[in-house]
Amino acid sequence: MGERPEISVVVPAFNEEANVVPMVERLVAALDGVVEGFEIVFIDDGSKDRTWAEVAALAERDRRVRGVRFARNFGHQAAVTAGIDAARGTAVVLIDADLQDPPEVIPELVAKWREGFEVVYAQREAREGESWFKKTTAAFFYRTLRAITNVDIPLDTGDFRLMGPRAVEAFRAFGERNRFIRGLVSWVGFEQAGVRYRRHARNAGETKYPLKKMIRFAIDGITSFSFLPLRLATWLGFAVSALAFVYIVVVIGLKLAGINWPGYTSLMASILFLGGVQLIMIGILGEYLGRVFDEVKQRPLYLVGESTDGTVPVVGRARGRERGDDEAGR
Ligand code: UDP
Ligand code: MG
């Protein structure tokens, strides 16, 4: 296994066959001689194309390349988690496989880390090759998230970042299933700094985050960091009660003044309005309840089919099975 590399680069890849080789070439060019040893850990998130074949071939030739193959598609955030779990380096860099995040920025992240920052995130100052829709919704989402959570998630950051050893250790201790990694990494605290960069267009292939997944991801982000949607019910309840009270006073006043106010339309309107509000609130409760259910089941976060060096266990994160748990637990 040799000595510990300074940097582990974690690359989640889902159907990225055309990006694996250029990714490794650019990472090697950017890091060779710049850092004291590095490894590249690909997590093949159940790809249906030749991604794994490409990774395995590279790993055969270059010992710095490692690969972990999931038993099926577990999703981007699970892949990143597995990468962090498998990493052997002192610091871990998270980067997308599609070369949207240029590997050439990594030495800048490393330089900041060496200055003493524990987490160095890369902040997009421009995004090329992404639709107007994606950019606007992303901008809106990050601003909303920042406004309603008490976690200081920096604006316009993705998962492209460097985590120092203390942040990595903290991250590995998280047991939760619904993971919003960029939020969790901010949550750990320590000294954090940003480096600005230009986000490029995808190198090859197409986005693995269609609108549906983006919405899921956004809901995950909000629910795992904020109770505000739940409180909304209380506020709405107070607001509607106040309105109802005013309405009652008005109606009684009109009655006393001898004015008769027929009520079909307003009755219909308020029934439908309140019905809608109540259903939305039940839906929000459901979102949280579903997540609680997920956490309670304690299923493993991901399953590993194979790894290039054969050292990565099938079940990496079964909670309650960790060493010493049996004695400590009872
Ligand atoms: N990805 C993954 N599993 C998934 C979806 C995406 O590992 O289920 C990886 C993907 O290969 C890429 C990264 O996550 O390396 C970001 O995905 P993508 O570039 O498609 O998202 P976008 O940049 O369009 O938001
Ligand atoms: Mg991308």
Side-chain angles (χ1 to χ4, degrees), residues 158-288:
D159 287 334
F160 185 26
R161 58 185 68 214
L162 180 146
M163 300 161 72
R166 286 175 290 159
V168 170
E169 189 184 330
F171 188 86
R172 284 187 182 136
F174 288 135
E176 61 201 272
R177 257 108 280 270
N178 287 307
R179 286 164 169 265
F180 185 68
I181 288 169
R182 53 201 73 169
L184 291 176
V185 178
S186 298
W187 184 90
V188 299
F190 302 117
E191 309 79 21
Q192 309 214 352
V195 164
R196 305 192 68 83
Y197 78 110
R198 299 181 69 81
R199 187 160 162 97
H200 295 275
R202 208 169 217 288
N203 179 53
E206 53 196 40
T207 178
K208 311 301 181 303
Y209 266 103
L211 186 62
K212 208 171 116 198
K213 266 200 211 168
M214 259 168 65
I215 294 175
R216 265 275 79 124
F217 183 65
I219 296 178
D220 272 346
I222 290 174
T223 51
S224 60
F225 282 99
S226 176
F227 288 142
L228 198 92
L230 290 173
R231 291 209 184 107
L232 214 61
T234 321
W235 293 347
L236 271 172
F238 276 117
V240 171
S241 308
L243 283 176
F245 184 74
V246 172
Y247 181 73
I248 289 168
V249 171
V250 170
V251 171
I252 291 176
L254 288 173
K255 219 44 303 115
L256 292 178
I259 303 168
N260 197 13
W261 189 341
Y264 295 110
T265 324
S266 54
L267 209 62
M268 228 23 220
S270 54
I271 287 174
L272 289 178
F273 173 73
L274 283 180
V277 166
Q278 282 166 355
L279 286 178
I280 292 173
M281 284 304 146
I282 293 173
I284 291 178
L285 275 179
E287 285 292 334
Y288 282 89

Side-chain angles (χ1 to χ4, degrees), residues 12-14 16 45 73 75-76 79 96-98 100 134 199 202 207-209 213:
F14 177 46
E16 306 278 7
D45 187 10
N73 179 262
H76 178 202
D96 282 356
D98 56 6
Q100 277 191 290
K134 183 143 189 168
R199 187 160 162 97
R202 208 169 217 288
T207 178
K208 311 301 181 303
Y209 266 103
K213 266 200 211 168

Side-chain angles (χ1 to χ4, degrees), residues 144-155:
T144 315
L145 193 65
R146 210 181 147 88
I148 68 171
T149 60
N150 39 18
V151 188
D152 192 17
I153 298 169
L155 292 176

Side-chain angles (χ1 to χ4, degrees), residues 23 26-27 30-31 93-96 98-109 122 124 126 128 160 196-201:
M23 183 76 204
R26 281 179 59 183
L27 278 171
L31 297 178
V93 173
L94 312 179
I95 191 169
D96 282 356
D98 56 6
L99 292 163
Q100 277 191 290
D101 309 323
E104 293 71 30
V105 176
I106 297 178
E108 288 177 48
L109 303 180
R124 307 154 180 165
E128 294 161 9
F160 185 26
R196 305 192 68 83
Y197 78 110
R198 299 181 69 81
R199 187 160 162 97
H200 295 275

Side-chain angles (χ1 to χ4, degrees), residues 22-194:
M23 183 76 204
V24 170
E25 277 168 5
R26 281 179 59 183
L27 278 171
V28 169
L31 297 178
D32 212 6
V34 177
V35 298
E36 286 155 36
F38 64 92
E39 61 169 8
I40 305 171
V41 186
F42 278 98
I43 311 297
D44 176 1
D45 187 10
S47 300
K48 295 263 182 282
D49 64 357
R50 290 186 40 79
T51 303
W52 181 249
E54 298 284 343
V55 170
L58 280 170
E60 195 106 315
R61 267 183 279 134
D62 188 339
R63 285 169 45 84
R64 293 172 299 188
V65 178
R66 296 168 60 207
V68 176
R69 184 186 203 178
F70 276 179
R72 62 166 170 84
N73 179 262
F74 281 91
H76 178 202
Q77 308 287 298
V80 171
T81 307
I84 297 173
D85 289 346
R88 298 205 185 102
T90 309
V92 171
V93 173
L94 312 179
I95 191 169
D96 282 356
D98 56 6
L99 292 163
Q100 277 191 290
D101 309 323
E104 293 71 30
V105 176
I106 297 178
E108 288 177 48
L109 303 180
V110 173
K112 266 266 187 275
W113 170 54
R114 286 178 179 160
E115 269 175 40
F117 291 99
E118 187 66 13
V119 174
V120 188
Y121 48 88
Q123 213 162 7
R124 307 154 180 165
E125 62 181 17
R127 307 175 77 160
E128 294 161 9
E130 285 181 297
S131 65
W132 173 88
F133 179 75
K134 183 143 189 168
K135 280 190 261 195
T136 336
T137 47
F140 174 72
F141 171 65
Y142 286 110
R143 276 155 189 82
T144 315
L145 193 65
R146 210 181 147 88
I148 68 171
T149 60
N150 39 18
V151 188
D152 192 17
I153 298 169
L155 292 176
D156 301 317
T157 59
D159 287 334
F160 185 26
R161 58 185 68 214
L162 180 146
M163 300 161 72
R166 286 175 290 159
V168 170
E169 189 184 330
F171 188 86
R172 284 187 182 136
F174 288 135
E176 61 201 272
R177 257 108 280 270
N178 287 307
R179 286 164 169 265
F180 185 68
I181 288 169
R182 53 201 73 169
L184 291 176
V185 178
S186 298
W187 184 90
V188 299
F190 302 117
E191 309 79 21
Q192 309 214 352

